[in-house]
Amino acid sequence: MNTNEWPNTPEDMAALAARVEYSDEEIELPPTPGPEGVMVSRSLKMPTELDQRLKDAATNRGITQSMLMRQLLESGLDAMDHDHAISLADAIRALSGLRKSA
């Protein structure tokens, strides 16, 4: 078996396992992958209409659905962190009721 090949037989696997050395020494882990670090997968159930809206919105923005969901979750969590977060609809209603200045 070539040292650059994966074992193909039980005998080759046994030979590889015999060469493995175990140690309690600390090792330096490789750098975290990707610019955003390690990604965690989550399962999410949603109505088909919402899923289609998500697909359309991501396509219109030229980004993946995962990226759009991350952005939406971040902005939603940021809004929750503020003491008096209000919905966009409430803000528009309040602003539309203001008098226009001359």
Side-chain angles (χ1 to χ4, degrees):
M1 175 181 83
N2 184 325
T3 57
N4 293 327
E5 294 177 8
W6 190 252
N8 290 323
T9 65
E11 293 80 16
D12 288 343
M13 182 60 80
L16 174 65
R19 292 195 317 265
V20 174
E21 294 181 22
Y22 297 94
S23 169
D24 289 332
E25 292 180 38
E26 289 191 26
I27 61 166
E28 185 177 331
L29 295 175
T32 303
E36 298 178 22
V38 176
M39 295 293 188
V40 177
S41 293
R42 294 282 181 218
S43 177
L44 175 68
K45 294 180 183 179
M46 66 181 81
T48 54
E49 297 82 14
L50 182 57
D51 183 57
Q52 188 59 53
R53 287 178 60 198
L54 179 69
K55 289 177 185 176
D56 293 343
T59 300
N60 291 340
R61 288 166 177 76
I63 59 176
T64 65
Q65 294 173 50
S66 291
M67 183 174 283
L68 178 59
M69 286 195 291
R70 282 192 298 274
Q71 290 174 355
L72 293 170
L73 288 168
E74 279 186 41
S75 64
L77 289 171
D78 287 345
M80 288 173 57
D81 289 341
H82 294 89
D83 288 343
H84 303 299
I86 62 171
S87 72
L88 179 58
D90 289 341
I92 291 171
R93 257 193 308 278
L95 291 173
S96 65
L98 297 176
R99 291 182 177 224
K100 294 183 180 178
S101 59

